């Protein structure tokens, strides 16, 4: 119940659960008959179990709240959201240098440097050199190989590219175009609420992961197109509906997989090869129905090579809850995070040598 919610609504959910349990316990005072008492006693075991779980999750939330309410967390979140929206890139890079001066976690700084490079198609040479210089002077020149590794992976690029990288195949992501074509950024009035979302973008507080939006294009095409149509019809009508009146998105029937049909132009702009193979069996039909029968269910396996994040898993779970007739199975080489990816490029920590008391032998 809690594992797939946005962190912003965790406190209110725990509070409402506590109030419900308190109300259920108080119902024992209104029991007038033996049957009513028996009914309460029958629920007592489950109420006690829920109360123990509530206490555990409340303690965990209290450990997380100082982090999510900290100045550093909210500032880095704001910078990341501004980078995704391409809002005043120069200002965000200045804020990034300020974070370095304030001693922010080096992994956080590297992640945001990569994000700024990816979403903007590279950072201006002068700005990138300044940022790299400040980073190395603050965190140590032993991290120079890490910066070089990020550059060789084309995760941290200058714009224009240096002559040494001009011959390499470009892996620049046309993020600005993709953001518009796939609606990766959703306005609050269009995405529902954090407690009752109607788009996968709730997992990142308004940003839909590109990987999962592509999965939607294949396995939940009707929901994606409906979302696009709703956005187009809502233009020019003010700020849209009141998010406080958002209702739960109805389930949609699963449709047969038809590959990238309808999204070929978008897919062709993404770097890297694209595969579209239809596997047919003895019982398969060349032309399936537009929707699966209600009693029929199919399983769709989503593979992540190189790993996926818990947030991407959460987004697929949300898709599964909104689709009737399709189960999703996730297969991945590992579960990763932004920090774990950066750590894989950091130099190994040198083991500390223990000092031996006494003289040399």
């Amino acid at each position: 119940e809690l594992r797939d919610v946005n962190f912003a609504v965790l406190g209110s959910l725990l509070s409402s659960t506590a109030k419900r349990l308190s109300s259920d316990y108080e119902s024992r005072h209104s029991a007038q008959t033996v049957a009513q008492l028996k009914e309460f006693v029958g629920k007592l075991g489950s109420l006690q179990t829920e109360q123990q779980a509530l206490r555990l999750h409340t303690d965990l939330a209290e450990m997380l709240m100082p982090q999510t309410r900290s100045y550093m967390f909210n500032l880095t979140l704001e910078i990341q959201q501004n980078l995704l929206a391409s809002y005043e890139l120069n200002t965000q890079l200045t804020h990034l240098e300020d974070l370095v001066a304030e001693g922010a976690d080096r992994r956080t700084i590297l992640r945001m440097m990569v994000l700024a490079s990816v979403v903007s198609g590279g950072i201006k040479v002068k700005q990138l050199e300044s940022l790299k210089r400040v980073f190395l002077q603050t965190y140590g020149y032993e991290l120079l190989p890490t910066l070089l590794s990020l550059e060789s992976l084309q995760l941290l690029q200058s714009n224009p590219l240096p002559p040494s990288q001009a011959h390499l195949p470009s892996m620049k992501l046309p993020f600005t175009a993709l953001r518009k074509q796939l609606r990766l950024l959703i306005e609050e009035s269009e995405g529902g609420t954090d407690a009752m979302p109607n788009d996968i973008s709730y997992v990142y507080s308004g940003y839909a992961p590109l990987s999962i939006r592509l999965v939607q294009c294949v396995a939940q095409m009707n929901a994606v197109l409906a979302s696009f149509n709703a956005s187009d019809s809502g233009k020019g009508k003010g700020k849209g509906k009141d998010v406080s009146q958002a209702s739960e998105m109805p389930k949609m029937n699963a449709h047969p997989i038809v590959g990238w049909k309808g999204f070929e132009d978008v897919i062709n702009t993404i770097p890297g090869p694209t595969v579209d193979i239809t596997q047919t069996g003895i019982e398969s039909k060349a032309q399936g129905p537009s929707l699966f029968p209600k009693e029929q269910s199919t399983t769709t396996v989503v593979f992540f090579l190189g790993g996926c994040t818990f947030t991407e898993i959460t987004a697929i779970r949300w898709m599964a809850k909104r689709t009737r007739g399709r189960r999703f199975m996730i297969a991945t080489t590992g579960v990763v995070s932004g920090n774990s990816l950066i750590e894989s490029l950091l130099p190994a920590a040198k083991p500390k040598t223990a000092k031996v008391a006494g003289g040399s032998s």
Side-chain angles (χ1 to χ4, degrees):
E1 184 180 348
L2 295 178
R3 67 180 181 178
D4 295 330
V5 302
N6 187 286
F7 68 89
V9 300
L10 179 59
S12 59
L13 282 178
L14 291 174
S15 177
S16 62
T17 302
K19 291 178 180 178
R20 178 180 59 79
L21 287 176
S22 177
S23 176
D24 289 342
Y25 272 113
E26 290 300 320
S27 65
R28 70 184 188 277
H29 297 299
S30 61
Q32 302 293 330
T33 65
V34 174
Q36 291 174 336
L37 287 171
K38 184 177 180 180
E39 181 183 0
F40 173 77
V41 172
K43 297 190 301 181
L44 188 59
S46 61
L47 291 176
Q48 291 174 337
T49 301
E50 273 193 274
Q51 190 175 39
Q52 292 176 355
L54 176 63
R55 186 180 298 111
L56 172 63
H57 286 86
T58 301
D59 291 341
L60 292 174
E62 288 179 350
M63 296 172 61
L64 294 174
M65 286 299 181
Q67 170 70 16
T68 58
R69 292 178 178 175
S70 67
Y71 163 78
M72 191 66 69
F73 177 86
N74 286 281
L75 180 57
T76 54
L77 179 62
E78 180 182 355
I79 293 174
Q80 291 175 77
Q81 290 178 330
N82 288 339
L83 287 173
L84 290 170
S86 300
Y87 177 71
E88 297 183 353
L89 177 62
N90 294 338
T91 301
Q92 309 315 318
L93 295 177
T94 301
H95 289 330
L96 198 50
E97 290 191 11
D98 293 339
L99 283 178
V100 174
E102 294 177 17
D105 190 324
R106 60 184 183 176
R107 298 170 303 178
T108 301
I109 301 299
L110 288 172
R111 284 167 50 193
M112 288 195 287
M113 289 172 63
V114 169
L115 179 63
S117 174
V118 170
V119 301
S120 61
I123 303 173
K124 292 181 180 179
V125 177
K126 186 177 180 179
Q127 291 176 317
L128 180 58
E129 291 302 318
S130 173
L131 192 55
K132 287 161 59 178
R133 182 173 60 253
V134 171
F135 177 84
L136 292 174
Q137 289 174 346
T138 302
Y139 299 101
Y141 281 87
E142 65 271 15
L143 294 178
L144 178 59
T146 300
L147 294 179
L148 295 176
S149 297
L150 289 173
E151 291 178 353
S152 65
L153 293 170
Q154 299 191 38
L155 293 175
L156 185 61
Q157 295 179 295
S158 61
N159 189 9
L161 289 173
S164 59
Q165 296 184 7
H167 67 284
L168 297 175
S170 176
M171 294 297 291
K172 285 188 177 181
L173 186 72
F175 183 79
T176 303
L178 291 174
R179 183 182 61 205
K180 181 178 180 180
Q181 293 169 326
L182 297 177
R183 294 189 72 237
L184 300 181
L185 281 183
I186 304 296
E187 295 292 336
E188 186 179 20
S189 59
E190 300 174 7
T193 64
D194 288 332
M196 192 174 292
N198 55 31
D199 187 80
I200 60 172
S201 60
Y202 88 96
V203 297
Y204 278 121
S205 300
Y207 169 69
L210 174 58
S211 58
I212 310 304
R213 187 66 94 198
L214 292 175
V215 173
Q216 273 192 308
C217 291
V218 174
Q220 207 178 45
M221 184 192 305
N222 44 13
V224 175
L225 295 177
S227 175
F228 291 174
N229 293 335
S231 174
D232 293 338
S233 63
K235 292 180 179 179
K237 296 183 180 180
K239 295 183 179 181
K241 65 181 180 181
D242 184 359
V243 295
S244 63
Q245 298 177 353
S247 57
E248 185 174 358
M249 180 180 176
K251 286 188 176 184
M252 292 189 174
N253 290 331
H255 57 75
I257 300 294
V258 292
W260 299 113
K261 186 177 181 180
F263 299 95
E264 295 91 344
D265 293 341
V266 177
I267 297 301
N268 290 335
T269 64
I270 300 177
T274 302
V275 178
D276 190 346
I277 299 175
T278 302
Q279 293 180 319
T280 58
I282 297 176
E283 298 180 358
S284 65
K285 298 179 181 180
Q287 298 293 332
S290 59
L291 293 174
F292 287 121
K294 292 184 178 180
E295 65 276 3
Q296 183 179 344
S297 182
T298 184
T299 299
T300 299
V301 184
V302 182
F303 289 92
F304 290 92
L305 300 181
C308 68
T309 64
F310 280 116
T311 313
E312 290 170 312
I313 294 174
T314 293
I316 291 181
R317 286 180 183 147
W318 185 89
M319 289 173 53
K321 293 177 182 177
R322 299 302 184 275
T323 306
R324 185 185 296 108
R326 169 167 282 124
R327 298 183 301 271
F328 286 93
M329 179 182 297
I330 302 171
T332 177
T333 52
V335 177
V336 299
S337 67
N339 283 342
S340 69
L341 291 176
I342 293 298
E343 285 172 354
S344 67
L345 299 174
L346 292 175
K350 295 181 180 180
K352 296 181 179 180
T353 57
K355 295 182 178 180
V356 181
S360 59
S361 58

